[in-house]
Amino acid sequence: AQTVTQSQPEMSVQEAETVTLSCTYDTSENNYYLFWYKQPPSRQMILVIRQEAYKQQNATENRFSVNFQKAAKSFSLKISDSQLGDTAMYFCAFMKQAGTNAGKSTFGDGTTLTVKP
Amino acid sequence: AAGVIQSPRHLIKEKRETATLKCYPIPRHDTVYWYQQGPGQDPQFLISFYEKMQSDKGSIPDRFSAQQFSDYHSELNMSSLELGDSALYFCASSYDRGVFGYTFGSGTRLTVV
């Protein structure tokens, strides 16, 4: 079974600064997908960024980028130029590409990020 | 753009009652997922459907059942409710079995008293 670990329960950052959220995972799979989801206080989860394990290039979506280290099974999220609207709980998620439970995402415990003005 | 619609948004039930949660996925999405999220916790997978057939089952109690109908909407039925069932229940949908990520609904907040 896959496990996803987010070692930082809470983090804070000043507005306009950069913050990195950590995520590690454990799997014996070679092909899989990794995601970061954001859950603002309004509670609906929103997909932030996605990474395919077979791609070495790190995914980037505007101010959000990842540092994907496949050998180390690490998938951190960097938020640049933090904005007050980035305040939310962030979940890292793992999904197998094929076989049993393919399509089912396993989530980490989440990191609560507070952006301070 | 159409989103995943869940109803009701809030539900209060007494112990031992039954609750039915509904989910309307994004059109043309082929997979629906149900997750349970306790306060301050990560979402726990309950069950999923691919093209209206159950595809995976997680830590779903036997008191819970779910199905996906011909119009692709899904319902989660919860019977003999317990206090511990109080949680946020999310439905999500995806296409291509989730490889591009999920689109979540706003959730149903179930409170069992």
Side-chain angles (χ1 to χ4, degrees):
Chain A
Q2 289 74 33
T3 59
V4 179
T5 301
Q6 293 179 246
S7 59
Q8 305 151 313
E10 296 182 2
M11 292 192 72
S12 63
V13 63
Q14 290 296 132
E15 195 176 6
E17 293 187 345
T18 295
V19 64
T20 298
L21 309 184
S22 301
C23 172
T24 59
Y25 57 93
D26 186 25
T27 185
S28 57
E29 301 289 326
N30 191 47
N31 294 317
Y32 48 87
Y33 299 90
L34 295 163
F35 307 92
W36 278 98
Y37 288 91
K38 167 186 176 181
Q39 188 175 32
S42 64
R43 81 184 184 186
Q44 184 171 10
M45 291 237 280
I46 304 164
L47 177 65
V48 175
I49 200 165
R50 161 187 178 267
Q51 177 77 41
E52 296 158 307
Y54 62 85
K55 286 189 176 179
Q56 291 186 337
Q57 185 174 6
N58 289 322
T60 299
E61 288 286 343
N62 301 314
R63 298 182 296 107
F64 299 88
S65 61
V66 299
N67 182 5
F68 173 49
Q69 301 291 328
K70 190 173 184 179
K73 297 179 182 176
S74 171
F75 182 60
S76 61
L77 173 70
K78 185 171 83 171
I79 306 174
S80 304
D81 186 24
S82 297
Q83 301 176 358
L84 296 178
D86 295 333
T87 293
M89 180 168 275
Y90 288 80
F91 290 98
C92 177
F94 171 99
M95 191 181 78
K96 284 174 56 176
Q97 181 177 354
T100 305
N101 291 330
K104 184 195 89 170
S105 287
T106 300
F107 290 83
D109 290 338
T111 296
T112 299
L113 175 67
T114 302
V115 179
K116 298 179 178 179
Chain B
V4 176
I5 308 298
Q6 287 188 250
S7 66
R9 289 293 300 273
H10 301 274
L11 190 59
I12 300 175
K13 290 286 185 177
E14 295 187 353
K15 283 193 303 183
R16 292 179 289 278
E17 284 193 321
T18 297
T20 298
L21 280 53
K22 296 185 178 181
C23 170
Y24 296 83
I26 291 176
R28 293 183 296 282
H29 276 195
D30 55 28
T31 311
V32 169
Y33 313 83
W34 285 96
Y35 280 81
Q36 177 192 58
Q37 186 179 27
Q41 297 180 2
D42 59 299
Q44 295 295 313
F45 174 72
L46 294 176
I47 196 167
S48 64
F49 295 87
Y50 173 68
E51 288 292 346
K52 296 174 281 186
M53 299 290 291
Q54 181 182 311
S55 60
D56 287 301
K57 206 168 183 180
S59 49
I60 183 170
D62 292 340
R63 301 178 287 107
F64 293 7
S65 64
Q67 56 182 324
Q68 188 175 21
F69 295 86
S70 59
D71 65 352
Y72 285 87
H73 94 273
S74 178
E75 294 184 3
L76 178 65
N77 296 290
M78 309 158 69
S79 62
S80 302
L81 288 169
E82 302 173 356
L83 296 178
D85 296 329
S86 296
L88 194 55
Y89 290 83
F90 282 110
C91 172
S93 72
S94 71
Y95 66 94
D96 208 8
R97 302 203 73 165
V99 300
F100 296 98
Y102 298 170
T103 301
F104 282 86
S106 297
T108 294
R109 171 76 65 189
L110 172 67
T111 303
V112 182
V113 297

